[in-house]
Amino acid sequence: MHPANSVFPEDFTWGVATAAPQIEGAAFEDGKGESIWDRFSRIPGRVHGGDTLDVACDHYHRYREDFALMRSLGVRNYRLSLAWPRIFPDGGKQVNQRGLDFYRRLFDAMRENGITPWVTMFHWDLPQALEDQGGWVSPVTVDAFARYADTIVQAFHEPVKHWITLNEIRCFTYLAYGFGGKAPGRKVSPQELNQTYHHALLCHGHGVRAVREHGGAGAQVGLTDNSDVCIPFTETAADIAAARSWYETRNAHILGAMYRGGYSPEYLERCGANYPRVGAGDFKLISAPTDFLGLNLYTGTFVRSGADGRPEELPLPVNYPRADSTWLNLTPQVMYWGTRLPCDAYGVRSIYVTENGCGYNEENVVNGEVFDLHRRDYLRGHLRELRRAVEDGVPVHGYFVWSLMDNYEWEDGYQRRFGIVHCDFATQKRTPKLSAKYYAQVIAANAIL
Ligand code: BGP
C-alpha cells in the first residue's frame, strides 16, 4: 500500500504530450505546406545550430514504433497536435486529403495500442501563406482557423473526444510578434500586439464552436494556457491575496477575457490608445463555456504583499536552481498555485495539466540507460505539489508530461532535451530514460513513488 497522501483519484488521467512540428518531420511530404517555423528556422541566427524541423523525430514514419513504446510504458493518454499546413497547405480553402489520411492512420494506430488521443488544434505551426497575409495580426487568420477547426472536427469526431483549441497563446503572440524570439520573429506595434491576443481568443472560440457543432456525443473541449503563475511568499492570507491580485492582472487579457466575457477596466486602461478592435459578438464567442482548462505549468514567480497590500514580485538570486532552459526556475509549488489560482479567481471547475517537464542539454546513453535523475526529481517534486492541490479540493483531473521524447525545442533546436525518452537524432534510436521508467511505475501505481 502507498501512503494515502501519495495516491491520486481513481479516474485520474496520466499522459504524455508532444506537438506535430516538434516531432513529425516530413516537413514537405505528402503535400504539406510551409509553416512559419519552416521559414523562421532557415533565417540564420534564429534557431540554435540552424536546426530545422525537416526530420525532427521522424515520427511521421515511425509512429507505430512510438505508440508501441508508449504502450510498453503503460501510457494510455497522448496529447498531440495536428499540423494545420498539412491539412490546409496554403491556409486557404483547399484541403490536402493526404494530410487528413495521415492523421486517420495515426488515430487507427493509437486505437490499436489502446491510447486515447487528446488533440491540440494549433501548436504554433501557422501556414506561412497566412503569415504572408498578416498572420496573427490579421483577421484573415481567424476566418482560416474557423474553416480548419470545422474541417478537422468533422473529419475526426469519431476517434477524438478530447479537443484542445490552442496551445499557449502568449508564445505565438507576445513571444512571436512582440519579443520576436519565436516564429515569425516580428516586432509589431503595441496595438497590433493586443490585436494578436484578441484574434487568438476568437480562434479559441471558433474551436469550441466547431466541437459543439460537429464533435458528436461526449466531445470535450478546452484551451491550453500558459498562465503567468505566482507563488505566495508565505501561505498567509495577506500574501495569498497579493498573489491572487497579481495573477488576475497578469492573466486579464487571456483567462480573464475568456472567463469574464470581456476585458477588465484595468486591462483597457493598460492598453490605453492601443486597445484591440473588438467586433460585436466577439466576447460571446470567446466566453462560450468550455469543459476544462488545460494548463502548461513549468515555473512561477514569487510574490508577497508589499506596500498597501499591493503585490510585490520578488527577484530570484542569480544562483537560484534552474534547469538548462534559462527561464525554467525550479519552483514545484507552481503546480499547487498554478491550479488553485484559476479556480479561486475564475471559478474554473475542471483542470488538466497538459504540460509539465524540464529541459537539459547533455543527456547521454550509457550502456543503454540515461540517468536523468534531475528529471525524476523534478517530476516527483511537482507531483507532490499537484497531489496537495487535489487534497485541497482543486479539481485537477489529469497530468501530461512534456515530453514523450526529446524533440525540436523551437529556438533551442535539438540541443535542449525535454523527453522522458531519449532520441538520438542521428540514428532516430529511442531509449527510455530513468524518468520514463519512474513515470511508468507512477502510472501503474496511480501514486507518487
Ligand atoms: C511549451 C511548449 C512546448 C515545449 C515546452 C518547452 O511552451 O508548449 O511546445 O516546447 O514549452 O519549452 P521550450 O522549448 O520553449 O524550452
Side-chain angles (χ1 to χ4, degrees):
M1 279 300 283
H2 307 292
N5 69 353
S6 298
V7 177
F8 279 78
E10 232 170 75
D11 55 355
F12 195 78
T13 296
W14 296 101
V16 295
T18 67
Q22 296 179 269
I23 63 162
E24 284 181 2
F28 301 99
E29 222 168 297
D30 290 338
K32 177 181 163 288
E34 187 187 17
S35 81
I36 55 173
W37 276 93
D38 292 321
R39 176 77 59 97
F40 182 74
S41 62
R42 285 175 164 75
I43 304 174
R46 303 316 289 268
V47 172
H48 180 268
D51 292 343
T52 70
L53 305 77
D54 293 6
V55 180
C57 306
D58 197 30
H59 179 72
Y60 194 84
H61 302 110
R62 295 169 193 262
Y63 60 89
R64 288 181 194 286
E65 177 194 326
D66 291 334
F67 294 154
L69 176 60
M70 279 169 58
R71 183 184 185 155
S72 75
L73 294 171
V75 174
R76 308 189 71 92
N77 291 279
Y78 175 42
R79 174 174 176 241
L80 69 156
S81 79
L82 305 190
W84 185 352
R86 229 179 251 301
I87 295 168
F88 286 96
D90 67 2
K93 295 187 175 159
Q94 198 60 43
V95 177
N96 175 33
Q97 188 56 43
R98 285 179 295 170
L100 290 177
D101 291 346
F102 166 65
Y103 290 113
R104 171 81 52 202
R105 293 196 295 278
L106 210 68
F107 293 131
D108 285 349
M110 288 173 68
R111 197 190 54 244
E112 285 159 21
N113 284 284
I115 297 167
T116 301
W118 293 66
V119 174
T120 309
M121 297 177 180
F122 178 69
H123 201 125
W124 307 358
D125 46 353
L126 188 74
Q128 177 64 39
L130 288 173
E131 175 56 31
D132 295 341
Q133 296 166 72
W136 284 100
V137 178
S138 164
V140 169
T141 296
V142 179
D143 295 340
F145 182 86
R147 276 196 300 277
Y148 165 61
D150 282 334
T151 304
I152 56 178
V153 179
Q154 278 166 355
F156 302 122
H157 66 276
E158 279 171 9
V160 181
K161 288 297 166 198
H162 302 92
W163 293 95
I164 291 162
T165 55
L166 307 172
N167 180 71
E168 300 191 352
I169 290 177
R170 279 176 177 78
C171 286
F172 65 84
T173 54
Y174 173 68
L175 291 180
Y177 292 83
F179 179 68
K182 293 195 186 290
R186 284 165 64 189
K187 288 193 178 156
V188 301
S189 71
Q191 195 283 331
E192 288 174 313
L193 189 59
N194 291 333
Q195 200 66 49
T196 65
Y197 308 143
H198 192 70
H199 286 155
L201 288 171
L202 287 171
C203 288
H204 160 73
H206 277 296
V208 174
R209 178 196 53 72
V211 172
R212 299 296 180 230
E213 285 177 11
H214 315 293
Q220 297 199 355
V221 62
L223 172 77
T224 275
D225 188 43
N226 58 330
S227 321
D228 271 353
V229 175
C230 60
I231 299 161
F233 173 60
T234 63
E235 296 193 356
T236 55
D239 282 346
I240 292 172
R244 177 165 162 180
S245 152
W246 183 96
Y247 182 86
E248 290 195 32
T249 301
R250 296 287 289 245
N251 295 294
H253 62 310
I254 300 176
L255 292 187
M258 248 180 82
Y259 285 105
R260 302 220 167 114
Y263 292 127
S264 63
E266 186 198 351
Y267 175 66
L268 289 176
E269 196 184 317
R270 235 188 302 152
C271 289
N274 298 315
Y275 58 87
R277 275 187 317 281
V278 175
D282 282 7
F283 279 109
K284 190 158 180 271
L285 188 65
I286 290 168
S287 64
T290 52
D291 301 299
F292 61 87
L293 174 64
L295 292 170
N296 291 355
L297 298 173
Y298 287 92
T299 194
T301 302
F302 288 93
V303 166
R304 72 178 169 195
S305 168
D308 309 331
R310 275 202 301 274
E312 185 192 350
E313 228 175 275
L314 305 178
L316 287 177
V318 282
N319 51 0
Y320 190 87
R322 62 175 62 88
D324 281 343
S325 302
T326 48
W327 55 270
L328 218 170
N329 302 302
L330 304 179
T331 56
Q333 289 165 74
V334 73
M335 303 303 280
Y336 181 86
W337 292 101
T339 54
R340 179 174 151 178
L341 285 169
C343 300
D344 291 353
Y346 308 118
V348 174
R349 288 205 293 268
S350 177
I351 289 176
Y352 289 85
V353 175
T354 41
E355 285 181 30
N356 173 240
C358 55
Y360 291 97
N361 296 348
E362 293 297 322
E363 296 192 345
N364 300 319
V365 182
V366 180
N367 297 330
E369 292 208 274
V370 179
F371 296 91
D372 62 336
L373 291 161
H374 39 20
R375 185 168 292 101
R376 173 266 183 210
D377 207 44
Y378 180 97
L379 296 179
R380 193 174 193 284
H382 283 68
L383 287 175
R384 279 244 71 91
E385 286 289 326
L386 190 63
R387 180 61 184 76
R388 183 161 81 94
V390 171
E391 186 69 33
D392 284 3
V394 178
V396 191
H397 297 126
Y399 172 90
F400 293 75
V401 170
W402 183 269
S403 178
L404 167 65
M405 59 188 157
D406 300 335
N407 59 50
Y408 186 86
E409 287 296 344
W410 311 111
E411 64 273 29
D412 294 326
Y414 297 106
Q415 177 200 38
R416 187 71 31 78
R417 295 176 178 276
F418 269 85
I420 55 172
V421 173
H422 181 273
C423 181
D424 180 328
F425 294 107
T427 62
Q428 292 296 344
K429 186 172 166 38
R430 277 67 159 143
T431 307
K433 305 177 190 177
L434 278 194
S435 59
K437 296 172 185 173
Y438 174 75
Y439 190 50
Q441 290 184 58
V442 167
I443 295 175
N446 195 36
I448 302 167
L449 302 174

